[in-house]
Amino acid sequence: MNLIDLSSMAMKDVWLIPLLPFLAFILILVTGVKLRKISSYISILGIFLAFVVSAGVLIGRLLSPEADPYQIFVNWITYKDATIQLGLLVDNLSAIMVFFITLVATLIQVYSIGYMDHEKDGGFARYFAYMSLFAASMLGLVLANNLFSLYICWELVGLSSYLLIGFWYQKKSAADAAKKAFVVTRFGDLGLLIGIVFLYFLTGTTNFIEVRDLLPTLGAVNVTIIALLIFSGAVGKSAQFPLHVWLPDAMEGPTPVSALIHAATMVAAGVYLVARTFPIFEAAPTAPIIVAYIGAVTALIAACMAVVQVDIKRVLAYSTISQLGYMMMALGAGAYIGAMAVSHGGASAGTQGYVAGTFHLVTHAFFKALLFLCAGSAIHAVMSNDMWGMGGLGKKMPVTGLTFLVGALAISGIPPFSGFFSKDEIIATMTSIPQHPILMIIAFLVVFMTAYYMFRAYYLTFCGEYRGEGAPHENPRVMTWPLVILAAITVVVGFVGMPGDANMFGNFLTAGGPHISEHVVSFTPMIISLILALAGISTAFAFYYKRPQENEALLKKRFSLLWTLFDKKFYMDDFWEWIVRNILFLAARVAEFIDNYFIDGVVNLTGYLIGAAGDRLRYEESGKVQQYALMIVIFLFVTGLGLLALSRFINIPNIPFGG
């Protein structure tokens, strides 16, 4: 059996990709609590087998990149002429996504064996059950062939994140963070649901391929409304401004959970949704530039907040928000370029932004998983998240220190690490829309800030003298080997997205459509970006390599207003708390008053009147038949008179004595 036959078999068995981790979830619920170690093996086996099938699917698409998408579906609900389907779609985008999701999830789950080893039997099994459900939900979302199927898995992803963020629910902070994530994302999810229903009302389908063909018939206003409603869902899941406030608090979950959320599941779902529905955004005249500006604002404010954090996981959390903003900038700018080209009678030209945003999503998955697992390794060794309680860990934990450095160089955009290629492709896209220079300025500014705060974290954690307690040491191999593998991938994966004709990633992703090499490669933005990244690293070195406490105290004093603004998160948490307390709670109290005194009041009054009437009438129960007959005659007589009087004003048929 050759490679083509194997990939063909994998394509037909694509339904196994989400099913295998879901079966692992079910099996762990049945057996995991009683058999502690078995739960981890079942979970890892389920996601690894899904990775094997995903690899076969990707190979199949690589061998025939211009082949038609492969779909399987069943009719779920049929009513008259309306049919809602559940189905899977395999094209080049979904093949790439399931491959890196299953690969990253497999490495994170192997790492989790060591990280969660201290958990009691029930907690250990529960953790791996939730992780399997999380992976299955995300894989189902990525493979969905229509928006209804996607939305079901979208909500399962939300449920899984709620369970994992609040995994240590005994801690109030963890329980509150889980509720915050669940509630905040509801705002975006409601918009997405309305958009799906509106799209179905207009087209009679939510199948991605069918919708793409029907877009020219919908009109610009309708498409714009649909695009913005879909984007609202992405704003919630991918923590874009102003719904970004839930993600930093999500660090209350175990660190491997944070790695999975930030690298391959929850927050990746929003960016993937925009990429999957990219033709809708290209057909909407104004929606793409809104997406780009929201991404830009998100990237900038999150980077500002990251520079003052002392919790290493929160630094990485804000960096994720910022990088997601970068991806949204690219997708929005690409769709804007495409929309402008189409409006002038040309073909879509938004390919570069589409490829850049998607490629950064992939590269970010690897180096962000690496950074979070390295942070978890450091936290596991010193039992603290505070970087001021670390320091000097590079000597005590050389594997963790070196692999964290690889991740920091990648996210900073230093060649030859993967972030250099994907981030510079985004910046090149920004330079393609000179009518919006603010986007390019923000993109360059965030390059400097990213390098600064990441190397601030590196110097505080791994350089200098150890400032904590105890004697930290390197973690076991089950935790260090995933770091080494992720670091190796981070070093080499960027080369598949080299600019121009050599951009294998772009050429594969857009096979059969506009070719990425059609865009001119400009080295000027690349050089500027590299200079800014090196400047950020140098600035962090100057302040935090030696005498970090004194230098940070100086920065706080010199920039006290900005430092306070960044440390208070631009008062966005306070703003949302005010909204909740003064508007939502007030609305809830009004609704409670209406429910208690109007709705319940009518029901209670009806019950009271009937009860009172019954209490009064029961005394008429004498047991005398003659009395009952008299009452019936009187009732009929009164009723007859009433009908007779009424018939004088309106026509009541079939009344024999009516006048």
Side-chain angles (χ1 to χ4, degrees), residues 71-361:
Q71 291 191 77
I72 54 175
F73 58 86
V74 295
N75 291 335
W76 180 36
I77 298 174
T78 300
Y79 178 73
K80 296 183 178 179
D81 296 331
T83 300
I84 298 176
Q85 295 178 345
L86 296 179
L88 303 179
L89 169 68
V90 179
D91 60 1
N92 295 355
L93 175 60
S94 60
I96 292 170
M97 291 291 294
V98 293
F99 177 79
F100 88 74
I101 289 171
T102 52
L103 175 56
V104 170
T106 299
L107 294 172
I108 290 174
Q109 296 218 38
V110 171
Y111 174 96
S112 299
I113 294 176
Y115 191 89
M116 300 298 293
D117 188 58
H118 64 282
E119 280 293 320
K120 296 180 180 180
D121 293 355
F124 190 83
R126 178 165 55 90
Y127 169 84
F128 280 98
Y130 292 167
M131 291 288 273
S132 294
L133 178 62
F134 206 178
S137 303
M138 185 64 188
L139 292 169
L141 185 156
V142 166
L143 288 170
N145 76 330
N146 65 79
L147 280 166
F148 275 118
S149 296
L150 182 145
Y151 190 77
I152 293 171
C153 296
W154 184 272
E155 293 304 321
L156 284 173
V157 166
L159 171 64
S160 303
S161 65
Y162 168 79
L163 295 172
L164 284 165
I165 293 168
F167 179 78
W168 289 314
Y169 57 86
Q170 301 89 344
K171 292 169 54 182
K172 185 178 184 302
S173 58
D176 289 344
K179 289 185 288 186
K180 184 176 182 180
F182 194 79
V183 171
V184 170
T185 55
R186 291 313 95 202
F187 290 98
D189 292 359
L190 176 61
L192 173 59
L193 180 59
I194 295 172
I196 293 171
V197 173
F198 185 45
L199 177 63
Y200 187 82
F201 175 78
L202 292 176
T203 64
T205 182
T206 61
N207 182 282
F208 295 118
I209 296 175
E210 295 173 359
V211 167
R212 181 190 62 194
D213 297 334
L214 292 171
L215 286 175
T217 67
L218 300 184
V221 174
N222 287 334
V223 176
T224 299
I225 293 172
I226 292 168
L228 292 176
L229 288 170
I230 289 174
F231 180 61
S232 71
V235 168
K237 276 288 190 290
S238 286
Q240 297 295 284
F241 177 86
L243 300 182
H244 62 280
V245 294
W246 68 268
L247 190 54
D249 292 334
M251 298 304 97
E252 290 291 340
T255 301
V257 171
S258 302
L260 194 59
I261 288 175
H262 288 250
T265 51
M266 180 83 162
V267 298
V271 178
Y272 171 78
L273 176 63
V274 176
R276 172 53 74 194
T277 57
F278 193 76
I280 296 178
F281 287 89
E282 278 192 309
T286 56
I289 202 63
I290 295 174
V291 174
Y293 272 103
I294 288 179
V297 170
T298 303
L300 181 59
I301 66 170
C304 291
M305 290 184 277
V307 301
V308 301
Q309 299 300 312
V310 298
D311 184 324
I312 188 171
K313 287 177 66 176
R314 285 186 177 266
V315 173
L316 298 180
Y318 284 114
S319 81
T320 296
I321 298 173
S322 184
Q323 297 304 304
L324 292 167
Y326 247 110
M327 299 170 206
M328 290 298 187
M329 284 174 67
L331 291 169
Y336 174 76
I337 295 169
M340 292 302 98
V342 171
S343 67
H344 289 85
S348 169
T351 310
Q352 188 172 22
Y354 171 63
V355 171
T358 307
F359 188 45
H360 198 56
L361 177 62

Side-chain angles (χ1 to χ4, degrees), residues 106-108 110-111 370 373 377 399-400 403 474-489:
T106 299
L107 294 172
I108 290 174
V110 171
Y111 174 96
L370 171 63
L373 295 187
S377 185
V399 176
T400 301
T403 52
E474 193 62 87
N475 288 299
R477 292 180 181 178
V478 73
M479 294 177 66
T480 56
W481 272 109
L483 304 183
V484 174
I485 295 171
L486 285 168
I489 296 172

